[in-house]
Amino acid sequence: MAESAATQPSRSRDLDKLLLRPGNLVGPRFEPSAQLRDDVQNHARVLVVGAGGLGCELLKDLALSGFHNLDVIDMDRIEVTNLNRQFLFRVEDVGKPKAEVAAKRVMERISGVNIVPHFCRIEDKDIDFYNDFMIIALGLDSVEARSYINNVACSFLASFFFSPCHEIEYDSDDNPLEETIKPMVDGGTEGFKGHARVILPGVTPCFECTIWLFPPQVKFPLCTLAETPRTAAHCIEYAHLIKWNEAHGGTAFDPDNPQHMKWVYDEAAKRAELFGIPGVTYSFTQGVVKNIIPAIASTNAIISAACTLETLKIATECSKTMSNYLTYNGSEGLHTKVAEFERDKDCLVCGPGVLIEVDTSVTLQKFMNLLEEHPKLQLTKASITHRGKNLYMQAPPVLEEMTRSNLCLPLFELMGKLSKDVIHVNGMTNKNNQKVSCLRKLRVTFKGVDGVTDMDTAGGA
Amino acid sequence: MAEPKVKYDRQLRIWGEQGQAALEKSSICLLNCGPTGSETLKNLVLGGIGSITVVDGSKVEVGDLGNNFLVDESSVGQSKAKCVSSFLQELNDSVKAKFVEEYPEALIETNPSFFSQFTLVIATQLVESSMIKLDRICREANVILIFARSYGLTGFVRISLKEHTVIESKPEHFLDDLRLNNPWLELKSFADSIDLTVQDPVAHKHIPYVVILVKMADEWAKSHGGKLPSTREQKKEFKDLLKARMVSQDEDNYKEAIEASFKVFAPRGISLDLQRILNDSSSEVDSNSSDFWVLVAALKEFIANEGGGEAPLEGSIPDMTSSTEQYINLQNIYLAKAEADFLVMEQLVRSILKKIGRDSNSIPKATIRSFCKNARKLRVCRYRSIEDEFNSPNLPELQKYLTDEDSSGGATFVGRGAMAPPKPLNFHIAVGIYILLRAVDRFAANYNSFPGQFDSATDEDIPRLKSAAISLLSDLGCNGTALAEDLINEMCRFGAAELHAVAALVGGIASQEVIKLITRQFVPMSGTYIFNGIDHKSQLLSL
């Protein structure tokens, strides 16, 4: 089927049909044109978080869907066990940083694409870094990492008032204003199962709103491990969590150290033999200790592709968007379902923020004590910022010293005597009996202060 | 070979050495290596498939650089099959990669025997007429066939082979085989030897729940004429009896027993699904029967005789609160019974093999063992031929999809009892896509191009596509059903574009089905998977 001779062969021959032609089943603001395609290509910046099984696929898919300005961030190095699915890596690459090799490989094969790799932890970047991107695509393998990025993206949702710090405004009905929402597309896989979801902070549920979707990790009771082991996993965790410390005192167990792993395996095998329990193998030991999740190329391909399609739709409105959570399971036949979850209006992360009412006389220290006791927050080790200004920082020591004197000052004064405003608090809280770090947005209002002329006050900020 | 094993570690944890060996022994043929085919094959190559042959007659064009990762700048003008196959070779050097620079349609017409050398053929981007012909060829040659297609934001995947039997279906959630309400002699004796009223509190809370439930179920049956709890009140009463035996609140074994009491209420014997398999005509075996059906025939006999209505015992027990000693003892009792059942099955298998004139050792012990362990979970998948489906689809199903009406009722409720306003439901778009994907092929047969393939023609093509769809629906016996106008417009807008993200998704699904088919583990999809990239409400259609 030959193309018309008049047209120049275009690289985006197929994508053009979607972006240059008008349609009916499209987003409300779809403007089909070569300009749209070029804008995506030249100006849309997408961040891919993770350069592993999902990340490699995401980079390829996004690059071949018209996105030519990508960043990728990953703190890991390539391992042999990655090679069955992380197709941008070869045996010679083992040991090199994933983000760097992935970026290089994609740029080699697809000309015109620019990918900036970041070989570091996601926490190492300034919050502003994340704000530079139009859309953030997540290819992560942990709940904690997702939570972190979710916190960051949602922190861009802010106060009732306009603020110069790239924050989202809420209108008087507490609805966030659109142009300041930071969309995220999140994918996850495990064996034959996976999910892909679209998160528009303030509009669709954020990661925190639906945290109940993730079941807590299995932990064996200590008495089972110590006294009545019954399974191979019990023997392994005994060696890993109890015997190791008894035998090695100060040395931390390193799951990537083959000698450490062998020690745990030998101890587990001994214990298993003692109790007559079958099933302790080296491979199984690794699986239990490292919590290895089985992974294959096909599921990663499916989920990443779904995420990419949604990214393209968010950026161009070239079709309807997924609303808002896709689950996939290919182990028994084929099951895909899109569920429309709703936001938790009181969500601690993407909601307008927990409302806290205090007296104008309350000091910053007293306020921090309140946060610790607040039933919804239970926040300890708080670091507090107001409109980008540090009120108190727990770390580093230099900043702590600098801000220590604020602790005895009234919060009302520290917040510029506004009758109400939003502050952000970084601290530690309890989740599933574990201490985790979190970022919370709080709406502070001061009792007995005349709040009528809010807009006038804020205008001068 | 230590090296290859480590690389495949993350997938070996899913399908094991045997599954991997099956992949490494197989040879796959790919027809058309645009992004759909290339992405499908890439996933299989990464997984260590034995050998691949890429068949495509086209040359790499500039437009391919924008949607296919497996071709690059330097390959423009060259054979696409050659470029894709050499990149795939780079991805995994233990795979044997070949290419054939030929259009698949030509091979199908002039050299059908080409396909018999393969374990499986992945046919991408073929039109209706080629699909039918290829299907006939592969059925004849007993080659597994899988179709995959991307078309704009839509696509489909369809497996085609006469029958695929699965022993290791590995369902995620399946009731364990504990026989709490039907214990055999050794289990019953073990339960009898344990006194639930033991005084020592530590011993009391370390009696495994299996023992508790076997004893309590037996006690109940004795006082209820041999019957088990069946009504809601009886089930509650049974749980209350368990609660009454707790001497303190921290007795996890009793809590587990209460939670697991539903296992006592479950019916004895085998499931309807298994019964259906046993009743299948293929279980009347002869010398042509596959090993699977010989095993089923043996299973049938076992269940009717030694099994007393039950399949061979699976043999494993879940972890539960217990003293180590009692748990190990219990475990051994289950293992021993499973072993005994296996030995009976083995004899049955050997004698059936002899009866049908086959070597009585021709089915290995390991296979029989695996069959026994998985007897309750067997699956048989059968697929209609493409010709049959295309010419006479299951009309009631088709009507159901087209009207989105199901006789089982079911309106959509949106929280707090409020009815959702009527909106297009899930099947309507999927079946619309199914019909239109066939209509575009008819269109192409008439006009030598796909609707909307050229910018200039898009407007005229819409009514033409619509009438092709209407005439197809009429041929299928569905006169008067309307397809959504918006969808018809969209299909023209797509202009047969092969978008990378869609190709990667459809290819991902196709490659996963190939893995299940070749490893013979897990359950392949049935019917036709319609990918709906417009709102992701994809569906499986059984036509």
Side-chain angles (χ1 to χ4, degrees):
Chain A
M1 315 267 183
E3 288 240 88
S4 149
T7 54
Q8 279 277 56
S10 159
R11 229 171 251 265
S12 58
R13 166 196 70 198
D14 295 80
L15 207 51
D16 281 353
K17 299 209 164 102
L18 203 59
L19 299 182
L20 272 57
R21 292 177 172 186
N24 296 346
L25 293 174
V26 296
R29 270 157 313 191
F30 180 50
E31 283 170 19
S33 58
Q35 183 68 49
L36 175 62
R37 175 201 60 210
D38 294 343
D39 280 347
V40 170
Q41 193 171 294
N42 302 327
H43 302 301
R45 287 187 68 197
V46 177
L47 172 66
V48 175
V49 184
L54 288 165
C56 286
E57 295 279 343
L58 280 168
L59 286 171
K60 159 182 70 75
D61 293 346
L62 289 165
L64 288 174
S65 298
F67 293 95
H68 284 197
N69 293 289
L70 305 170
D71 281 50
V72 59
I73 178 170
D74 193 312
M75 65 181 184
D76 284 335
R77 291 179 182 273
I78 299 164
E79 294 172 25
V80 173
T81 53
N82 298 149
L83 302 177
N84 79 326
R85 62 204 183 280
Q86 299 173 24
F87 64 96
L88 296 174
F89 311 141
R90 306 278 174 271
V91 139
E92 313 80 69
D93 298 322
V94 171
K96 298 187 194 155
K98 287 189 180 185
E100 290 170 13
V101 177
K104 179 160 163 276
R105 274 284 147 63
V106 177
M107 287 193 285
E108 271 169 10
R109 290 201 70 81
I110 306 175
S111 60
V113 171
N114 187 41
I115 308 182
V116 180
H118 303 268
F119 173 44
C120 63
R121 302 176 327 137
I122 53 182
E123 296 88 347
D124 294 341
K125 291 292 190 193
D126 262 349
I127 292 199
D128 279 336
F129 166 77
Y130 293 100
N131 211 4
D132 285 343
F133 300 99
M134 181 197 231
I135 298 165
I136 302 177
L138 310 183
L140 293 166
D141 60 2
S142 81
V143 168
E144 294 75 26
R146 282 191 180 88
S147 216
Y148 182 83
I149 300 280
N150 183 67
N151 278 345
V152 168
C154 292
S155 76
F156 300 140
L157 292 172
S159 66
F160 307 123
F161 312 109
F162 173 74
S163 158
C165 312
H166 319 288
E167 287 173 1
I168 296 179
E169 267 185 67
Y170 280 88
D171 62 24
S172 51
D173 292 322
D174 270 354
N175 292 319
L177 289 182
E178 258 189 283
E179 53 272 19
T180 53
I181 296 174
K182 185 72 60 196
M184 287 179 286
V185 179
D186 170 57
T189 65
E190 181 173 340
F192 285 113
K193 295 197 287 199
H195 80 267
R197 68 190 295 188
V198 171
I199 297 180
L200 301 171
V203 179
T204 68
C206 77
F207 185 71
E208 200 71 23
C209 293
T210 52
I211 195 79
W212 46 267
L213 282 170
F214 291 87
Q217 248 196 298
V218 171
K219 281 212 148 37
F220 300 122
L222 226 46
C223 55
T224 303
L225 297 187
E227 274 138 54
T228 53
R230 299 175 295 270
T231 65
H234 295 156
C235 299
I236 292 165
E237 288 290 63
Y238 173 80
H240 168 219
L241 300 172
I242 299 177
K243 199 80 197 286
W244 174 272
N245 287 326
E246 275 174 30
H248 293 90
T251 321
F253 173 76
D254 176 9
D256 292 318
N257 181 329
Q259 282 167 337
H260 289 201
M261 188 64 75
K262 175 121 198 339
W263 187 92
V264 167
Y265 164 66
D266 287 338
E267 282 302 314
K270 265 191 241 159
R271 187 170 178 79
E273 200 176 341
L274 186 65
F275 282 89
I277 296 170
V280 173
T281 63
Y282 189 76
S283 166
F284 189 61
T285 303
Q286 281 181 311
V288 170
V289 170
K290 289 168 121 178
N291 193 27
I292 293 181
I293 296 176
I296 47 181
S298 50
T299 316
N300 284 335
I302 294 164
I303 294 299
S304 303
C307 288
T308 299
L309 267 177
E310 292 311 304
T311 306
L312 180 62
K313 292 176 190 182
I314 291 170
T316 63
E317 302 231 3
C318 64
S319 184
K320 302 281 184 198
T321 46
M322 174 206 299
S323 185
N324 46 55
Y325 196 108
L326 170 80
T327 50
Y328 168 87
N329 190 340
S331 62
E332 204 174 331
L334 176 52
H335 297 281
T336 63
K337 182 174 192 296
V338 176
E340 185 162 10
F341 289 118
E342 282 182 3
R343 270 188 72 216
D344 175 4
K345 290 268 152 54
D346 296 323
C347 177
L348 294 177
V349 177
C350 74
V354 173
L355 190 60
I356 301 193
E357 211 185 4
V358 290
D359 278 328
T360 51
S361 58
V362 161
T363 60
L364 182 55
Q365 178 66 70
K366 181 95 195 292
F367 182 73
M368 283 165 62
N369 296 344
L370 279 171
L371 295 183
E372 241 176 276
E373 291 155 15
H374 193 289
K376 271 197 182 158
L377 296 169
Q378 294 181 1
L379 255 179
T380 55
K381 297 223 178 310
S383 295
I384 304 183
T385 58
H386 173 239
R387 297 181 170 229
K389 183 176 132 210
N390 295 330
L391 298 192
Y392 179 68
M393 290 280 122
Q394 298 273 345
V398 162
L399 267 182
E400 198 281 321
E401 249 187 84
M402 276 170 59
T403 51
R404 205 184 298 161
S405 51
N406 286 340
L407 289 174
C408 53
L409 294 178
L411 183 60
F412 182 58
E413 276 178 37
L414 289 168
M415 283 173 64
K417 296 202 177 162
L418 293 170
S419 62
K420 60 177 174 176
D421 206 359
V422 165
I423 59 173
H424 288 98
V425 183
N426 234 311
M428 302 294 285
T429 189
N430 266 320
K431 202 174 272 182
N432 291 335
N433 290 326
Q434 268 190 321
K435 280 236 170 279
V436 291
S437 75
C438 65
L439 178 62
R440 298 276 182 255
K441 177 173 39 205
L442 306 177
R443 282 180 294 168
V444 180
T445 76
F446 293 98
K447 291 186 205 162
V449 178
D450 180 4
V452 173
T453 54
D454 296 339
M455 288 311 290
D456 293 342
T457 324
Chain B
M1 276 272 134
E3 256 292 332
K5 276 206 185 143
V6 179
K7 174 164 76 166
Y8 296 136
D9 179 84
R10 297 301 186 262
Q11 66 198 40
L12 287 172
R13 289 170 192 272
I14 297 177
W15 53 71
E17 300 281 357
Q18 278 197 309
Q20 189 64 32
L23 289 171
E24 288 173 13
K25 265 203 290 261
S26 52
S27 77
I28 309 263
C29 174
L30 171 69
L31 301 183
N32 290 322
C33 57
T36 310
S38 298
E39 288 293 313
T40 309
L41 213 46
K42 150 189 144 275
N43 298 332
L44 294 168
V45 162
L46 286 168
I49 205 87
S51 73
I52 58 168
T53 302
V54 181
V55 177
D56 191 315
S58 62
K59 304 279 188 201
V60 177
E61 292 173 17
V62 168
D64 296 330
L65 299 178
N67 73 3
N68 195 341
F69 192 74
L70 278 61
V71 301
D72 64 1
E73 294 271 6
S74 63
S75 36
V76 174
Q78 296 187 36
S79 152
K80 204 189 286 176
K82 175 161 178 258
C83 301
V84 167
S85 115
S86 69
F87 182 82
L88 287 173
Q89 183 70 89
E90 260 181 57
L91 272 187
N92 189 341
D93 49 27
S94 33
V95 174
K96 295 194 206 53
K98 289 205 297 255
F99 72 94
V100 172
E101 191 178 351
E102 279 257 36
Y103 286 102
E105 290 78 10
L107 274 180
I108 291 171
E109 283 304 318
T110 63
N111 190 8
S113 59
F114 169 80
F115 299 100
S116 8
Q117 56 178 301
F118 303 105
T119 318
L120 184 150
V121 173
I122 302 169
T124 67
Q125 309 300 88
L126 289 187
V127 296
E128 218 181 46
S129 49
S130 308
M131 284 174 67
I132 293 175
K133 292 190 189 130
L134 180 62
D135 191 46
R136 269 192 224 123
I137 295 169
C138 289
R139 290 253 166 163
E140 185 70 47
N142 225 4
V143 172
I144 308 173
L145 181 52
I146 181 167
F147 293 101
R149 189 158 177 197
S150 305
Y151 196 101
L153 289 175
T154 68
F156 76 82
V157 179
R158 163 62 148 97
I159 296 172
S160 184
L161 77 157
K162 191 145 170 270
E163 179 180 277
H164 177 80
T165 58
V166 186
I167 296 173
E168 284 182 90
S169 60
K170 297 184 171 174
E172 243 187 301
H173 305 289
F174 204 89
L175 198 53
D176 33 42
D177 197 9
L178 297 177
R179 310 279 171 95
L180 301 173
N181 54 23
N182 198 3
W184 61 97
L185 183 61
E186 287 80 3
L187 178 59
K188 189 146 189 329
S189 311
F190 180 69
D192 286 342
S193 75
I194 294 173
D195 180 8
L196 289 185
T197 62
V198 62
Q199 288 301 317
D200 172 19
V202 172
H204 193 270
K205 68 184 196 175
H206 280 98
I207 298 172
Y209 82 71
V210 164
V211 170
I212 297 174
L213 288 176
V214 165
K215 291 172 86 73
M216 299 293 288
D218 185 50
E219 219 178 88
W220 177 284
K222 284 205 175 83
S223 57
H224 288 79
K227 296 225 184 71
L228 293 163
S230 55
T231 66
R232 188 178 278 171
E233 294 76 38
Q234 287 180 322
K235 291 177 183 176
K236 184 171 184 308
E237 202 189 318
F238 184 81
K239 288 189 187 175
D240 288 340
L241 286 171
L242 285 169
K243 279 193 198 122
R245 287 193 170 264
M246 290 177 74
V247 300
S248 82
Q249 275 319 296
D250 70 342
E251 300 207 293
D252 285 338
N253 58 339
Y254 273 92
K255 289 186 194 154
E256 286 165 15
I258 293 166
E259 243 186 74
S261 50
F262 72 94
K263 302 182 188 183
V264 169
F265 313 148
R268 300 179 175 113
I270 64 175
S271 70
L272 279 169
D273 284 337
L274 183 54
Q275 192 63 63
R276 232 176 270 132
I277 293 178
L278 298 177
N279 292 343
D280 194 290
S281 56
S282 299
S283 66
E284 310 289 320
V285 292
D286 58 36
S287 56
N288 289 321
S289 300
S290 67
D291 288 359
F292 178 86
W293 290 107
V294 170
L295 290 159
V296 169
L299 179 63
K300 211 169 167 182
E301 264 186 63
F302 179 94
I303 292 171
N305 302 313
E306 294 89 341
E310 299 271 8
L313 186 71
E314 197 263 346
S316 69
I317 59 174
D319 188 29
M320 61 191 79
T321 299
S322 168
S323 69
T324 305
E325 193 187 335
Q326 287 184 330
Y327 184 81
I328 303 287
N329 283 343
L330 200 56
Q331 210 172 35
N332 287 336
I333 289 172
Y334 276 81
L335 285 170
K337 166 86 168 126
E339 179 68 13
D341 285 353
F342 156 72
L343 290 170
V344 171
M345 274 289 289
E346 192 187 5
Q347 287 315 307
L348 289 171
V349 170
R350 305 234 180 277
S351 88
I352 290 176
L353 282 170
K354 225 186 267 179
K355 230 183 280 176
I356 60 176
R358 282 179 55 180
D359 173 357
S360 63
N361 289 319
S362 56
I363 297 183
K365 247 186 161 83
T367 308
I368 303 175
R369 232 182 247 285
S370 169
F371 185 86
C372 288
K373 260 191 102 69
N374 289 288
R376 298 170 311 140
K377 309 171 188 175
L378 305 175
R379 297 291 283 258
V380 177
C381 305
R382 292 192 172 128
Y383 301 87
R384 295 189 74 195
S385 75
I386 299 295
E387 189 163 17
D388 283 349
E389 177 187 316
F390 280 12
N391 292 339
S392 33
N394 182 331
L395 218 45
E397 279 291 301
L398 185 55
Q399 304 279 24
K400 181 177 98 178
Y401 301 141
L402 285 168
T403 56
D404 254 330
E405 259 163 40
D406 194 344
S407 51
S408 66
T412 359
F413 283 89
V414 166
R416 283 169 251 275
M419 279 276 281
K423 54 181 178 181
L425 291 175
N426 300 344
F427 277 108
H428 194 67
I429 295 191
V431 77
I433 292 171
Y434 174 86
I435 295 293
L436 287 166
L437 283 174
R438 290 180 57 186
V440 299
D441 288 347
R442 295 196 168 195
F443 182 108
N446 276 336
Y447 299 100
N448 278 326
S449 68
F450 289 101
Q453 193 167 353
F454 305 114
D455 288 331
S456 46
T458 318
D459 283 337
E460 291 137 46
D461 288 347
I462 296 174
R464 287 177 184 164
L465 177 59
K466 183 170 179 185
S467 74
I470 289 175
S471 97
L472 172 59
L473 279 169
S474 163
D475 288 349
L476 298 178
C478 298
N479 299 306
T481 343
L483 289 181
E485 294 282 338
D486 283 346
L487 195 56
I488 297 174
N489 282 9
E490 266 307 84
M491 289 305 266
C492 285
R493 178 165 91 109
F494 295 154
E498 213 177 331
L499 300 168
H500 181 81
V502 177
L505 203 154
V506 168
I509 289 178
S511 62
Q512 196 158 99
E513 295 303 313
V514 169
I515 288 174
K516 290 189 277 185
L517 288 164
I518 292 183
T519 58
R520 297 201 94 100
Q521 295 179 30
F522 303 97
V523 185
M525 75 163 85
S526 55
T528 304
Y529 176 72
I530 296 292
F531 172 65
N532 169 3
I534 297 169
D535 57 13
H536 276 290
K537 292 188 177 160
S538 308
Q539 293 291 355
L540 273 169
L541 305 179
S542 307
L543 297 166

